[in-house]
Amino acid sequence: MRNQRGLQCASYCEQAHELAVVDTDSARAIACARIATLASAEQRHQRVIGIGALLLIVAILFAYVWLPAVRERDRLTARLPQLSAQLALMKTQAEEIRQLTSTSLIAPAPPTIANIDTLQSAFGDGARVNLDPSRAFRVVIPRIVYATWWDRLGDVQSRHQLQIISLTLQALPDGRREVSVDMLMADQTRPSGSPAAGSAK
């Protein structure tokens, strides 16, 4: 009887040991599965963060680099016809000025001698006329239509036989064909240093 009871106890112990081993293996398997699940979730989380950061960089580049560049291109494209017209006008003016300054004026004796009053009257109230130290007339017109200035200049040259010594002509940016003028004119028939009659006030 004692031997049978000992054998039964031994059998129970072996079964308990086997159950303990099985439970341990199951716990390990469950733990490994949970660790793998957590690792997979962490990887997915890192991928989501990476994709979000990439999208944020793309949005910043779009808003601060590409979009301003497109707007500036569109602005320049819209202004291109105006810039082309201004360039054509400047080329025309440059050619006329080149002809004006390179051609010697040959005319009969003027009926009147140029002075500040006559030039002021010829170029209009917007002009400022005075004598510089070389006794040449300096004419400054802040704003005048180019065609009007051209006509008045031709009239002054034909009446007083004046020659342009220097000329600065700038197109104004309002697109109405207006210019600012700063020029020196001298009477080629008068000896150097001779004052103009009626120029002093």
Side-chain angles (χ1 to χ4, degrees):
M1 293 292 293
R2 290 181 178 178
N3 290 334
Q4 289 180 354
R5 289 179 179 176
L7 291 173
Q8 287 178 355
C9 289
S11 176
Y12 290 155
C13 289
E14 289 179 358
Q15 291 178 359
H17 179 71
E18 290 177 356
L19 290 174
V21 170
V22 171
D23 290 342
T24 303
D25 292 340
S26 298
R28 288 180 180 175
I30 292 172
C32 291
R34 289 182 178 177
I35 292 173
T37 302
L38 292 175
S40 177
E42 181 67 22
Q43 290 177 356
R44 287 197 300 272
H45 183 64
Q46 291 179 354
R47 285 198 297 269
V48 169
I49 293 176
I51 294 172
L54 181 60
L55 292 176
L56 179 61
I57 293 173
V58 171
I60 291 174
L61 291 176
F62 176 82
Y64 293 98
V65 178
W66 186 81
L67 190 58
V70 170
R71 289 175 178 172
E72 182 65 16
R73 183 199 63 186
D74 293 341
R75 187 181 67 84
L76 292 177
T77 301
R79 289 191 58 195
L80 187 59
Q82 179 184 359
L83 294 175
S84 299
Q86 291 180 353
L87 180 60
L89 175 62
M90 292 176 65
K91 288 181 177 180
T92 301
Q93 293 173 350
E95 179 62 23
E96 293 175 349
I97 292 169
R98 185 189 66 79
Q99 295 176 359
L100 182 67
T101 55
S102 63
T103 303
S104 299
L105 183 62
I106 302 176
T112 58
I113 298 175
N115 57 51
I116 292 178
D117 293 334
T118 57
L119 293 182
Q120 182 71 64
S121 176
F123 285 109
D125 295 334
R128 298 194 302 271
V129 183
N130 53 52
L131 282 175
D132 77 340
S134 66
R135 310 306 296 174
F137 294 103
R138 183 180 183 187
V139 181
V140 178
I141 309 174
R143 179 182 292 268
I144 189 172
V145 177
Y146 176 77
T148 302
W149 168 76
W150 184 262
D151 293 339
R152 292 178 181 178
L153 177 63
D155 182 66
V156 166
Q157 287 184 312
S158 64
R159 287 177 179 273
H160 307 295
Q161 201 170 350
L162 294 177
Q163 184 75 20
I164 292 179
I165 299 175
S166 67
L167 173 64
T168 301
L169 190 68
Q170 293 183 343
L172 298 180
D174 54 10
R176 293 187 295 179
R177 296 182 178 269
E178 291 184 328
V179 295
S180 64
V181 181
D182 187 347
M183 62 182 173
L184 285 177
M185 305 183 71
D187 187 349
Q188 298 301 304
T189 64
R190 189 176 66 246
S192 176
S194 174
S199 60
K201 298 181 69 177

